[in-house]
Amino acid sequence: MSEKGNPSQSSASSSSPDSLLKLVQSLSASIVYTESSNFDTNRKLWDNYAIEWSPKVEWIQKMVNNLPGCSTIENQETIELIGDEWSDKSSLNQVIEEYIFPFLKELHPHFIVGEIGTGGGRVVSKVISKVVGEFYCFDISKEMLSRARNAIKAVGLEEEPIEGSKSLLGKDLKVHFTLLEKSQLPLHLEGKFDFIYSFDVFPHLDIHTQYQYFGSIKKSLKVGGHAFISVADLTTPAGWSRFEKQSKYTVGGFYFICPEIVRKMV
């Protein structure tokens, strides 16, 4: 915290209760709390990211130019949704094929799936066709959820014909959009989910925020339910290489942990 101004000091012998109260009030008014929570900082960052995002803006094009495997022109042509600039599509598809689709194939005909950190919809737009039942899009950014909604509508879903509803409907499918107000899933959804996943989200969360989510995920799964959560693993060669290049943690960078820490938290 920081202080503005220098309130006058009163000696102990001359201080009355009234003067002490005035001094406390003066100090309280002059204190500025500069440290935002990890949750609040992430919300501001990703709201602004979604508002300013466009495939044509310079800072997005710079990220696109660093993607592996394609020429600059080819990469730029593949940028359709927020997050496409973070990894090449073949790598993203590999993650979905290996860590998300297998769990969906194991589920019964009507099941409930949730994604934490839906963002602009780059993962859910590829996954949604495999879901029969209900899908919950969770995010702390209102602007990101708006982008995700548009992305999912583009693959053929329609507005639910109920006044005030924020859900989308498809064949044998209902999609909900939930703005999170804290680092946990809504309490009324405890024990509801067959499968919960989160990709490219937890690396931007500090360890206490990750711990809160892990506890909430565990409570939100049905008995026998599954979860896939990607984290920034310090013990891998790629993780260590990135860690060495990062001078400090920021929400725009990575918060590195390791499998042992994850096992302890869950």
Side-chain angles (χ1 to χ4, degrees):
M1 74 184 96
S2 60
E3 296 184 3
K4 294 182 178 178
N6 293 302
S8 60
Q9 300 294 318
S10 300
S11 66
S13 59
S14 63
S15 295
S16 66
D18 287 342
S19 64
L20 285 173
L21 178 59
K22 290 179 181 179
L23 177 58
V24 170
Q25 291 173 337
S26 175
L27 285 168
S28 298
S30 70
I31 293 174
V32 178
Y33 295 93
T34 58
E35 183 179 0
S36 297
S37 70
N38 183 259
F39 182 96
D40 291 336
T41 303
N42 266 294
R43 169 171 280 179
K44 291 175 184 177
L45 171 65
W46 300 116
D47 271 342
N48 288 333
Y49 196 102
I51 291 171
E52 297 178 9
W53 188 91
S54 167
K56 298 181 180 180
V57 299
E58 182 179 0
W59 54 278
I60 291 295
Q61 291 183 359
K62 287 182 178 179
M63 296 175 72
V64 172
N65 292 344
N66 290 324
L67 293 179
C70 299
S71 69
T72 299
I73 294 177
E74 289 173 332
N75 274 334
Q76 290 176 349
E77 290 176 347
T78 65
I79 303 304
E80 301 171 351
L81 301 173
I82 291 178
D84 283 343
E85 67 275 14
W86 299 332
S87 65
D88 61 280
K89 288 196 173 183
S90 62
S91 296
L92 175 61
N93 290 336
Q94 182 179 359
V95 170
I96 294 173
E97 290 285 346
E98 292 185 8
Y99 298 106
I100 296 179
F101 281 167
F103 290 107
L104 298 182
K105 291 176 182 177
E106 293 179 1
L107 298 177
H108 49 79
H110 183 94
F111 50 88
I112 301 175
V113 178
E115 179 183 25
I116 299 175
T118 298
R122 69 170 177 147
V123 178
V124 65
S125 62
K126 298 177 181 294
V127 170
I128 202 70
S129 63
K130 304 289 186 181
V131 179
V132 177
E134 294 182 71
F135 194 102
Y136 283 78
C137 296
F138 297 107
D139 209 289
I140 65 174
S141 165
K142 178 178 66 176
E143 301 296 335
M144 283 292 191
L145 282 178
S146 178
R147 293 273 191 166
R149 186 183 186 86
N150 291 334
I152 297 174
K153 286 177 68 174
V155 299
L157 276 72
E158 301 177 350
E159 300 282 349
E160 185 177 27
I162 299 176
E163 185 177 354
S165 174
K166 297 181 179 180
S167 301
L168 295 178
L169 296 177
K171 183 181 179 181
D172 302 319
L173 173 67
K174 185 173 184 178
V175 183
H176 310 272
F177 299 85
T178 302
L179 180 66
L180 298 178
E181 298 297 343
K182 57 178 67 174
S183 304
Q184 67 179 50
L185 304 185
L187 295 179
H188 71 275
L189 296 178
E190 286 189 1
K192 187 178 182 71
F193 291 90
D194 296 283
F195 181 53
I196 296 173
Y197 71 86
S198 182
F199 178 65
D200 260 5
V201 175
F202 277 53
H204 302 291
L205 311 179
D206 66 27
I207 194 167
H208 290 87
T209 304
Q210 291 187 46
Y211 177 62
Q212 291 165 15
Y213 274 119
F214 278 128
S216 180
I217 290 168
K218 189 173 183 179
K219 292 179 180 178
S220 299
L221 289 171
K222 294 178 180 177
V223 175
H226 297 282
F228 162 62
I229 310 297
S230 71
V231 299
D233 186 354
L234 185 65
T235 65
T236 65
W240 181 257
S241 176
R242 181 155 187 164
F243 172 76
E244 284 189 309
K245 297 174 184 177
Q246 185 172 291
S247 61
K248 64 178 181 178
Y249 164 73
T250 66
V251 293
F254 279 6
Y255 194 103
F256 291 90
I257 56 177
C258 65
E260 288 76 14
I261 292 176
V262 174
R263 283 191 284 269
K264 183 67 174 178
M265 288 194 290
V266 300

